[in-house]
Amino acid sequence: MDIWSWFTDGIAALNVWGTNLVGETAWLIIWSIIKILVIALPIIICVAFLTLWERRMIGYMHIRRGPNRVGPGGILQPFADVLKLLTKEVIVPTKSNKILYIVAPIITLVPALAAWAVVPFGPEAVLANVNAGLLFIMAVTSLGVYGVILAGWASNSKYPFIAAMRASAQMISYELAMGFVLLTVLLVSGTLNMNGIVTAQTQGWFADKGLTFLSWNWLPLLPLFVIYVIATVAETNRHPFDVVEGESEIVAGHMVEYSGMGFAMFFLAEYANMILLSAMASIMFLGGWSSPVDFAPFNLIPGWLWLGIKAFIVVSFFIWFRASFPRYRYDQIMRLGWKVFIPLTGIWLVVVAIWMQTPFNIWN
């Protein structure tokens, strides 16, 4: 019996015991909270160590040392950063809208964590296996822009407000391109269910021969995969699209009036979104929790670990871009989104739709 089967059997037994002990309704609430914590806490820990990996990777690419003072090899640096942010004074601007000023970071962070409710870590390892999982993620992740707008407006300062407008325009522009990409994946998969999208990539001629990675969507939808990865970089306001935080122009953008945990929550939301969108790229194009080849050594690796490996590779591209490319001008970023990505993804959606009506349809 593998570890995952032991875990699910134990959870099932605990579920029966809890139902008999405290009643069905109360136990469902407690059990839902436990499952949420089981998903949310590892994501927050991953965010912490992603900051460490970013510093080490950029240090390696720039031929210099990364963080190496706090803990062996600098491994405790994320915890030092958290301690520093927790102990910093929280300063609320005098003439700000205090309620919205405090709520804005929460509105930005919550969607980045709530979207994980429908992300499958395995065939049955998902918090909510809803039929409209893809639609849920598209809806929830689009709410993060409200936190950015409110942060800029509630600060009652010109620079955060201008930066919030720039950020919201950029995020909305690239969400449209990402939407067309996800519509194409929906078209070829025939389902909005996240597990169904992964399962559809484990079928086909190559999958029957054991070469499952050649049946994944990345191969026939390669242009859309590239566009999706670039669009996620712009969607999360990461370098080279981080004009929201241009040091020579608007400093920290919509976060410029935030300190302590307010700033930390925006920081946490950015990195949580990076991990989420990397996991989404893995599910949409890289087979999600499925093994790349159907052979014994690879099949022994659990599905959640395969998903983690793929997401780690994709999120490393975010760091690679930051270490390699200069920042683009804002007009160049908007031109890329509206005049290049949106037309290309729309055209490719039509091409795939026509392709599926021909005898050469590979998604039957």
Side-chain angles (χ1 to χ4, degrees), residues 68-341:
N68 60 352
R69 299 298 180 90
V70 185
I75 197 170
L76 298 180
Q77 183 63 48
F79 299 99
D81 294 337
V82 171
L83 180 62
K84 178 185 71 174
L85 290 170
L86 283 172
T87 55
K88 275 186 173 291
E89 181 183 3
V90 176
I91 301 174
V92 180
T94 304
K95 295 185 179 181
S96 65
N97 187 315
K98 293 179 175 55
I99 296 177
L100 294 180
Y101 178 87
I102 295 171
V103 169
I106 301 173
I107 296 177
T108 304
L109 176 61
V110 168
L113 298 178
W116 285 95
V118 297
V119 174
F121 298 91
E124 302 297 332
V126 58
L127 181 61
N129 191 21
V130 297
N131 291 329
L134 184 59
L135 182 62
F136 175 83
I137 287 184
M138 293 175 66
V140 168
T141 53
S142 64
L143 296 176
V145 67
Y146 289 103
V148 174
I149 294 174
L150 287 177
W153 183 81
S155 297
N156 194 26
S157 176
K158 298 298 186 293
Y159 283 119
F161 183 70
I162 293 172
M165 293 298 100
R166 291 170 62 164
S168 58
Q170 178 176 322
M171 294 168 72
I172 292 170
S173 301
Y174 283 89
E175 275 182 1
L176 293 173
M178 291 171 61
F180 277 121
V181 172
L182 297 181
L183 278 176
T184 308
V185 174
L186 164 63
L187 189 66
V188 301
S189 302
T191 179
L192 282 165
N193 183 273
M194 304 292 283
N195 261 324
I197 292 172
V198 175
T199 303
Q201 298 178 70
T202 61
Q203 303 168 354
W205 188 85
F206 288 109
D208 293 339
K209 301 297 181 181
L211 302 175
T212 313
F213 73 98
L214 293 177
S215 292
W216 295 344
N217 287 333
W218 71 270
L219 188 57
L221 303 180
L222 183 60
L224 293 182
F225 179 44
V226 174
I227 290 175
Y228 181 84
V229 172
I230 298 175
T232 56
V233 177
E235 169 72 11
T236 52
N237 293 315
R238 292 281 300 179
H239 201 92
F241 304 109
D242 62 335
V243 294
V244 178
E245 303 175 33
E247 288 87 349
S248 61
E249 311 156 43
I250 48 181
V251 198
H254 59 280
M255 302 179 290
V256 73
E257 299 290 349
Y258 283 85
S259 61
M261 283 308 298
F263 176 83
M265 293 181 72
F266 279 115
F267 199 71
L268 180 62
E270 177 182 317
Y271 281 80
N273 272 317
M274 287 170 57
I275 298 175
L276 172 66
L277 295 176
S278 298
M280 284 293 297
S282 305
I283 292 170
M284 298 295 109
F285 296 98
L286 302 177
W289 39 259
S290 65
S291 170
V293 291
D294 191 14
F295 297 119
F298 293 90
N299 291 336
L300 295 176
I301 300 176
W304 62 268
L305 186 55
W306 276 123
L307 179 63
I309 292 171
K310 295 169 186 176
F312 175 76
I313 293 172
V314 176
V315 81
S316 294
F317 278 95
F318 285 75
I319 303 171
W320 177 23
F321 295 157
R322 179 178 180 180
S324 303
F325 299 107
R327 179 183 292 112
Y328 289 105
R329 295 198 317 265
Y330 187 71
D331 62 304
Q332 294 174 325
I333 295 173
M334 299 303 289
R335 186 186 306 121
L336 178 66
W338 285 98
K339 294 187 177 181
V340 180
F341 281 0

Side-chain angles (χ1 to χ4, degrees), residues 14 37 45 56 63 181 197 207 228 288 308 363:
L14 185 63
L37 292 176
I45 294 173
R56 295 306 292 260
I63 316 178
V181 172
I197 292 172
Y228 181 84
W363 293 284

